[in-house]
Amino acid sequence: MPRSRARARPPPVETWAPISTVSSEKKKLRFAPSPTGALHIGGARTALYNWLLARGSGGSLVLRIEDTDRERSTGENVEQILDALRWLELDWDEGPLSQHERADRHGERLRELLDADKAYHSLATAETVKAQKAQSNLGFRGEPVAPGTEGAAVRLRVPEGTTIVHDEIRGDISFDNSVHDDPVIARGDGSVLYNFAVAIDDLDMGITDVVRGDDHLSNTPKQVIVMEQLGETPPRYAHLPLLHGPDGKKLSKRHGAASVQELASAGYLPAAVRNYLALLGWGAADDQTLLSTDELVRQFSIERVGRSSAIFDEKKLRWINGRYMRELPLEEYERRFAEQLSRADPAAAEAFAAGDAERRRAALQIAQEKAQTLDDVWPLVRFLFEDPPNDEKAWRKVMKDGTRPLLEDAAAALREADPFEPASIEASLAPILAARGVKPGQLYQPIRVAISGGAVSPGIFESLAVLGRDSAVSRIDRAVTRLR
RNA sequence: GGCCCCGUGGUGUAACGGUCAGCACGCGAGGUUUUCAUCCUCGUAGCGCGAGUUCGACUCUCGCCGGGGCUACCA
């Protein structure tokens, strides 16, 4: 597993953690996205944190789709979210559950509230509410109408007093009920709204910890009131700071590489993405940067989650991903690369597949330490599977006046190199340096351009070896001809 | 406008009243090197502002400023 340098870790210090953190209380969490679009990295991070907490406590994770708004919820969007979670390799124990399908149960609880006069029917529209709010800053209270009145919505009766949300990250936050509107919890057609459904579902499913984005913080008192009016005890809450785009605004589809799908198609590795996402808002106690998923599960705790919003930084993700690339077992590396290539460039994938297995593996190996993402690999090795591209700029830069005899020497030496392996290739090429009185770069760069077409490739000796004697010599001969 | 949250370098974070404010990415300069990358060394840059509490504040309190979220019969 990648870890930040084998620096000496301090010896384990005896610590006396409070009982609550050492106890093995099993948590039950939920990830509850609304299917209104692709899963972006903010949602992905929320999913990851919930997953880490569930796994770390030996508890469980529920996947619940918040689809009470039928208009905006599409099966396509649900699939996209499921795909994203699968790609991230985050699994769940229950679900996916459709919130919408629990309408009967929601209706049941709604009637309870109505019967106890904790909620009432109201005809007030958004306009009337707004009009009243323009006069005073007090919360809106509706005029109850008879049950069964055509088109009447149901409003929750907000009690007097203060609602306190106990937040694991921010501490106690109190809301003055008098400024809260009586929220609509069911539409005129009887269907319930999000803030009501969530409260019921979290209760019914026995959720112990609700971990979600900060954008829900203002919703929480409404949900807590619903639960309290029902005589129930709310779960623990933790509101994560939002992830912002480079413009400092809440992350949304408008921002660049923001969705999980995009990270996947950009050639990142799921494990690296998990590592990076974990670090966006949380830090290991010992400042470790590279943590395997196992280590994350073991170390992650809500107490160490920060309170301020963070900005997605792709540069760091790239760096982390590069570290994971280098640690990748060859088999997995090969599998992921092949999948990625066939998605990104079918023609290239065909060319790659046409190479024999040994060459494919060798190519991937010599490119491994140079690639930061799966997408970086193909440009480095394509010359082993296709005719090299013609990079005129690279050609002009390295093919100087005295280059031709050097390449002729190189071709001759390569004809003799035996076996045709990196060490012996180097041994046969190196004497040319002294004989011609040139520096390594003056010989090796022209060879590189001749065989790979460009100025960047894996190590030249490895590249020649994998290419094979015949192709290597003929490509060099071709360059010699062109230099004539 | 109202309610709520947040504020350490360009970015992510550490520090939980006493440290030369640490680490990582990035960036810069060297070194290794057959290119690039890796790797190694060094460097760069920060506690939003102002009061107060205290022997002592990044750490506590208040105000200001700045950023953000919510304010739907959306989620």
Side-chain angles (χ1 to χ4, degrees):
Chain A
M1 285 304 121
R3 36 188 331 140
S4 46
R5 202 140 309 285
R7 80 177 113 91
R9 308 268 280 318
V13 179
E14 205 70 18
T15 54
W16 284 270
I19 295 297
S20 66
T21 65
V22 291
S23 79
S24 55
E25 188 220 350
K26 290 186 178 176
K27 295 181 157 135
K28 185 164 183 187
L29 298 106
R30 37 68 138 203
F31 177 56
S34 60
T36 51
L39 185 65
H40 61 66
I41 56 173
R45 188 195 54 171
T46 301
L48 173 66
Y49 283 15
N50 275 285
W51 183 87
L52 289 172
L53 257 10
R55 296 291 166 259
S57 74
S60 60
L61 180 66
V62 178
L63 175 61
R64 190 175 71 216
I65 306 296
E66 313 272 56
D67 55 358
T68 46
D69 183 352
R70 305 305 296 158
E71 313 232 322
R72 301 200 305 168
S73 306
T74 70
E76 212 173 297
N77 286 337
V78 172
E79 262 319 303
Q80 256 194 88
I81 289 170
L82 262 35
D83 278 348
L85 291 174
R86 287 190 205 106
W87 182 81
L88 283 165
E89 297 162 343
L90 299 179
D91 56 352
W92 53 90
D93 306 292
E94 282 178 50
L97 270 31
S98 160
Q99 188 161 60
H100 165 252
E101 285 170 12
R102 290 174 40 79
D104 288 352
R105 173 59 178 162
H106 297 148
E108 238 174 81
R109 290 300 247 173
L110 182 65
R111 250 179 325 266
E112 253 181 75
L113 241 30
L114 250 8
D115 290 347
D117 199 32
K118 302 271 173 76
Y120 58 92
H121 287 86
S122 162
L123 252 14
T125 62
E127 288 69 49
T128 40
V129 175
K130 217 172 287 171
Q132 186 188 315
K133 302 273 291 188
Q135 307 300 312
S136 82
N137 282 324
L138 257 34
F140 173 81
R141 304 286 175 253
E143 197 63 44
V145 296
T149 302
E150 181 70 21
V154 176
R155 282 181 188 273
L156 175 72
R157 210 183 276 291
V158 171
E160 302 210 335
T162 301
T163 301
I164 296 180
V165 173
H166 304 284
D167 188 283
E168 301 283 304
I169 294 173
R170 296 162 208 282
D172 287 358
I173 303 157
S174 70
F175 296 84
D176 183 349
N177 289 359
S178 69
V179 301
H180 260 115
D181 298 339
D182 283 354
V184 173
I185 52 178
R187 301 182 175 88
D189 66 6
S191 62
V192 299
L193 260 57
Y194 169 77
N195 279 128
F196 182 73
V198 169
I200 305 309
D201 290 351
D202 286 339
L203 245 24
D204 281 357
M205 293 169 193
I207 302 301
T208 60
D209 296 77
V210 171
V211 177
R212 69 208 332 181
D214 209 5
D215 49 344
H216 285 282
L217 185 53
S218 334
N219 285 147
T220 306
K222 296 177 197 164
Q223 296 167 23
V224 168
I225 291 172
V226 166
M227 295 181 191
E228 287 176 347
Q229 293 301 79
L230 245 15
E232 310 271 10
T233 308
R236 280 186 294 262
Y237 288 96
H239 290 91
L240 307 172
L242 258 23
L243 253 33
H244 286 175
D247 59 354
K249 293 272 200 300
K250 177 183 173 183
L251 210 56
S252 74
K253 284 109 211 163
R254 289 199 309 278
H255 295 98
S259 77
V260 172
Q261 264 81 10
E262 280 164 311
L263 295 181
S265 67
Y268 290 105
L269 301 168
V273 171
R274 290 194 297 272
N275 190 154
Y276 175 70
L277 251 25
L279 259 20
L280 232 38
W282 173 87
D286 66 354
D287 258 336
Q288 255 190 96
T289 301
L290 296 166
L291 300 102
S292 70
T293 299
D294 278 350
E295 288 173 306
L296 288 175
V297 167
R298 226 172 299 126
Q299 297 188 31
F300 187 82
S301 70
I302 209 72
E303 291 84 54
R304 291 194 64 82
V305 173
R307 287 166 307 274
S308 57
S309 57
I311 294 171
F312 175 69
D313 175 18
E314 191 166 358
K315 286 236 181 70
K316 188 157 186 174
L317 205 211
R318 278 191 72 82
W319 176 80
I320 290 179
N321 203 76
R323 298 291 300 237
Y324 277 77
M325 284 289 289
R326 275 171 264 149
E327 302 282 340
L328 215 50
L330 184 55
E331 222 156 281
E332 183 185 348
Y333 174 29
E334 191 175 5
R335 194 190 81 236
R336 289 188 184 278
F337 171 73
E339 280 172 13
Q340 176 67 13
L341 192 60
S342 55
R343 257 201 308 271
D345 186 346
E350 217 169 294
F352 179 69
D356 65 74
E358 207 174 314
R359 166 171 294 218
R360 290 201 305 261
R361 303 191 132 218
L364 293 183
Q365 278 176 308
I366 65 175
Q368 186 165 23
E369 66 172 21
K370 295 177 187 305
Q372 280 192 309
T373 67
L374 291 170
D375 275 9
D376 290 348
V377 177
W378 181 245
L380 288 167
V381 302
R382 59 178 298 179
F383 75 95
L384 296 168
F385 302 91
E386 302 177 330
D387 281 337
N390 222 340
D391 182 341
E392 279 305 324
K393 216 175 122 199
W395 179 278
R396 279 199 305 276
K397 187 165 180 196
V398 306
M399 299 300 187
K400 299 280 179 11
D401 281 347
T403 300
R404 204 189 70 201
L406 293 172
L407 287 178
E408 284 168 345
D409 287 0
L414 291 173
R415 268 186 258 267
E416 301 303 319
D418 184 53
F420 203 69
E421 287 169 1
S424 44
I425 288 172
E426 176 167 18
S428 63
L429 251 20
I432 300 172
L433 267 25
R436 295 284 184 179
V438 295
K439 294 186 188 276
Q442 293 174 271
L443 171 64
Y444 299 132
Q445 274 306 87
I447 296 178
R448 190 186 310 283
V449 172
I451 66 164
S452 78
V456 176
S457 81
I460 192 65
F461 310 120
E462 289 78 10
S463 294
L464 285 165
V466 178
L467 219 210
R469 191 196 308 272
D470 293 348
S471 301
V473 170
S474 81
R475 287 183 189 186
I476 292 173
D477 283 346
R478 207 185 310 161
V480 168
T481 306
R482 190 179 156 186
L483 283 169
R484 230 182 277 275

